[in-house]
Amino acid sequence: PVVTARGIVGSVTEVGLNWCKATTILEYTSSVGVYCERSGALGLCEGTYELRERSLCRISYLDENADVRIGDRFVTSGLGSVFPMGLAVGEVRALYPDSYGRGLIAEIAPLADFTDLSRVMVITGFQSDAKNLTDGTASDSSETKHSETEAAE
């Protein structure tokens, strides 16, 4: 995972001896398991072509009765083993029914400032209790190892 002090940026997709490339959460190839801090509603944060131009992404696979509101903050769920549980992702800006299913779609504004990525941190390892997230017994006690780096222009 690649993060800033404010929230996640994306994940490392290519590495070299002294460099790496990352794909941001705004990209259509990106997906991150997330949950609503207030209600616990689970979803999948995905980038889209249309939303990327406005520096937004969407949360899909929300239940049609999910307790999600404008302004709610979503964090990483830790499910999927790429991101540890509890990293800030973004805040809900819009909600609407999923036209292809029975659920909801939430448009979110990432908390990381994608216009100023001069310093990022790469998390190189973590242990997480996210496996219990779906039954409500998980705690946000992920342990992480990281390295700080200057972002390339």
Side-chain angles (χ1 to χ4, degrees):
V2 180
V3 300
T4 67
R6 296 186 66 193
I8 69 169
V9 172
S11 59
V12 173
T13 52
E14 245 183 279
V15 295
L17 291 176
N18 60 355
W19 59 270
C20 71
K21 288 185 181 179
T23 298
T24 72
I25 61 173
L26 302 177
E27 298 298 324
Y28 76 96
T29 57
S30 177
S31 63
V32 181
V34 295
Y35 73 97
C36 179
E37 278 187 320
R38 184 184 56 78
S39 70
L42 288 168
L44 188 67
C45 180
E46 302 172 303
T48 70
Y49 285 118
E50 301 80 23
L51 294 176
R52 184 179 82 177
E53 293 177 11
R54 298 182 307 173
S55 294
L56 300 172
C57 39
R58 74 177 185 184
I59 298 176
S60 54
Y61 301 105
L62 289 167
D63 185 72
E64 64 184 328
N65 299 316
D67 182 11
V68 177
R69 302 176 189 155
I70 304 296
D72 277 351
R73 185 171 137 152
F74 275 80
V75 296
T76 55
S77 67
L79 302 171
S81 75
V82 175
F83 292 91
M85 182 180 175
L87 298 177
V89 178
E91 291 183 354
V92 176
R93 296 291 182 243
L95 281 166
Y96 49 88
D98 184 349
S99 57
Y100 298 106
R102 295 179 49 196
L104 290 175
I105 298 288
E107 287 183 8
I108 66 164
L111 294 175
D113 181 0
F114 287 89
T115 63
D116 181 26
L117 290 177
S118 58
R119 293 190 70 77
V120 298
M121 182 170 60
V122 176
I123 298 174
T124 58
F126 63 91
Q127 294 178 337
S128 178
D129 339 335
K131 64 182 180 271
N132 298 325
L133 182 63
T134 55
D135 66 12
T137 62
S139 65
D140 187 10
S141 63
S142 298
E143 294 180 22
T144 60
K145 291 190 236 176
H146 66 275
S147 63
E148 196 167 313
T149 185
E150 297 281 335
E153 294 292 323

